Amino acid sequence: MPTVLDDTLLDDPARLAEADSSGLLRAAAMAGAQVRAAAELAAELELSERLDMGRPRAVVLIDRPGVSRTLTRLLAALLAPSCPVPVVVAEVVPSWIGALDVVFAHTDDPGDRELAASLERAARYGASVVLSAPSEGPVAAAVAGKGILLAPRIPVPAELAFPRGLAAGLLTANALGLLMSDVQALADQLDLEAGKDYLARDSFENPAKALALRVADRVPLLWGLDPVAVAVGEHAAHAFAAHAATVCDVEDYRQALARPALRRAAQSGGAERDIFADPDDSSGDIPTRLLLLSVRTGPATDAARFQAEDLLPGADVIAPAEEIEADEIVRAAVLALRFELAAVYLGLAAGSIGGAGRFAPATA
């Protein structure tokens, strides 16, 4: 039986709170607190002093299932333009690891034995290891006494631990002198974004709710105008799949344009849905919503945006630089949080998480 999205739920705070029985909105809104807690723990463990090793030979970002995959790609994109050492993203520690290398990993699976064995080997060969993970289990034991463990202090579901893992990675890069980021300013901006997206704010003034409604009942096409934006899009796709059972297409917009059929769908998919259309109509057309994501600023990004908007006039452009004065690290994290909250709102309205948010139309 076809179902209809209950979008009225989004502007009813009492029903929203009732539907969110797992407290996902509150957990997502604690992004700033996650960042602050990670920074406090890093200071207590003297992360900067323990990583005072001069320039490393390479930085290895370990890519594991979950938000680890998206945050390592974002860290790599942020490091890429000016990092003086190679940045390697890999599922396990490479065979060439040695005492001059630094390994960073994030996981919320304390029993990931493949990761545990990989980190144990890295420590055995003298590499500096920074691990963002729970304090119990084989993964933490693999680096006990040999690495730096940044355990969670703010309990949130694994799919909402992106801010903690990102903060741990940024603090590691800071300690190595490879990337300068103000994690306190990052936490403050995440708090501000969470306030804008609070469940009591109506859809027309709530960026996350508005975003959820824009992609509802459509296939989101998240095309990035720069590498950082593509990485944020990958995290958004993970969030939509995790919370709203929604599949997204994520790509650099130039590569996206090289796919003629999807490009044509994107160019014709911006029209609003006909509310009088037969829901049983199986014409084969898949409605899409094209979102052009832009995190970086500068001539190259401006040129990309001009070209993309010319070729794709129906696209929505989401550019945090137009809303907040902050560096690209903060802009990327704020946009990632907005997508997380939009995914939770969409999941609640669609009934894929929490209480039933969908209703079946009456039948004769």
Side-chain angles (χ1 to χ4, degrees):
M1 181 184 297
T3 54
V4 180
L5 186 75
D6 185 6
D7 53 7
T8 63
L9 178 73
L10 296 184
D11 286 330
D12 189 332
R15 289 178 60 211
L16 259 180
E18 182 180 4
D20 187 18
S21 56
S22 298
L24 293 179
L25 289 172
R26 181 176 182 275
M30 297 178 73
Q34 289 191 61
V35 171
R36 289 189 186 88
E40 290 169 1
L41 180 56
E44 292 172 13
L45 296 177
E46 299 181 333
L47 176 68
S48 296
E49 291 78 4
R50 294 170 68 178
L51 288 182
D52 186 13
M53 55 182 290
R55 181 177 295 180
R57 181 180 63 168
V59 174
V60 180
L61 306 176
I62 302 300
D63 172 352
R64 302 305 295 172
V67 299
S68 171
R69 179 151 298 176
T70 58
L71 74 86
T72 52
R73 280 162 169 70
L74 178 55
L75 285 169
L78 291 169
L79 284 164
S82 58
C83 187
V85 302
V87 178
V88 178
V89 178
E91 292 185 359
V92 294
V93 172
S95 59
W96 46 260
I97 203 72
L100 299 178
D101 304 313
V102 175
V103 175
F104 171 78
H106 169 86
T107 184
D108 278 284
D109 178 6
D112 186 341
R113 295 191 177 276
E114 184 179 33
L115 175 59
S118 185
L119 294 179
E120 192 280 329
R121 184 167 59 82
R124 188 170 68 248
Y125 281 97
S128 298
V129 178
V130 181
L131 172 64
S132 168
S135 57
E136 304 294 334
V139 175
V143 301
K146 297 170 287 187
I148 302 171
L149 174 63
L150 299 176
R153 287 183 166 178
I154 305 294
V156 298
E159 63 271 20
L160 294 175
F162 182 87
R164 171 171 63 86
L166 179 62
L170 292 173
L171 290 163
T172 300
N174 279 1
L176 294 170
L178 302 178
L179 186 69
M180 291 297 102
S181 57
D182 185 341
V183 293
Q184 296 301 330
L186 170 59
D188 291 343
Q189 285 292 342
L190 290 174
D191 285 345
L192 290 173
E193 178 63 27
K196 294 177 184 177
D197 301 327
Y198 184 56
L199 83 168
R201 293 173 69 98
D202 292 335
S203 299
F204 68 88
E205 59 177 359
N206 185 315
K209 287 183 181 181
L211 183 54
L213 290 172
R214 289 295 287 165
V215 302
D217 298 321
R218 291 175 179 265
V219 176
L221 308 180
L222 310 179
W223 294 355
L225 301 180
D226 58 77
V228 176
V230 174
V232 173
E234 290 179 347
H235 181 64
H238 176 80
F240 278 124
H243 301 297
T246 296
V247 177
C248 304
D249 178 70
V250 182
E251 192 56 87
D252 176 273
Y253 92 98
R254 298 174 187 83
Q255 180 66 22
L257 292 175
R259 301 173 296 179
L262 192 55
R263 173 178 173 172
R264 287 193 295 271
Q267 290 172 323
S268 62
E272 297 302 322
R273 183 183 53 178
D274 181 2
I275 62 174
F276 300 107
D278 181 359
D280 291 320
D281 179 19
S282 56
S283 61
D285 293 335
I286 300 176
T288 61
R289 176 72 69 197
L290 175 55
L291 304 178
L292 294 174
L293 311 182
S294 175
V295 174
R296 286 193 171 141
T297 57
T301 301
D302 291 343
R305 178 170 175 173
F306 179 81
Q307 180 187 28
E309 289 184 305
D310 182 57
L311 294 172
L312 304 162
D316 291 342
V317 178
I318 302 180
E322 297 177 351
E323 304 176 39
I324 59 175
E325 292 185 8
D327 61 26
E328 68 179 41
I329 298 171
V330 172
R331 294 196 297 267
V334 166
L335 185 55
L337 175 59
R338 183 174 300 176
F339 271 116
E340 280 189 351
L341 284 161
V344 173
Y345 280 126
L346 186 60
L348 292 170
S352 56
I353 55 176
R358 282 183 176 268
F359 60 90
T363 57

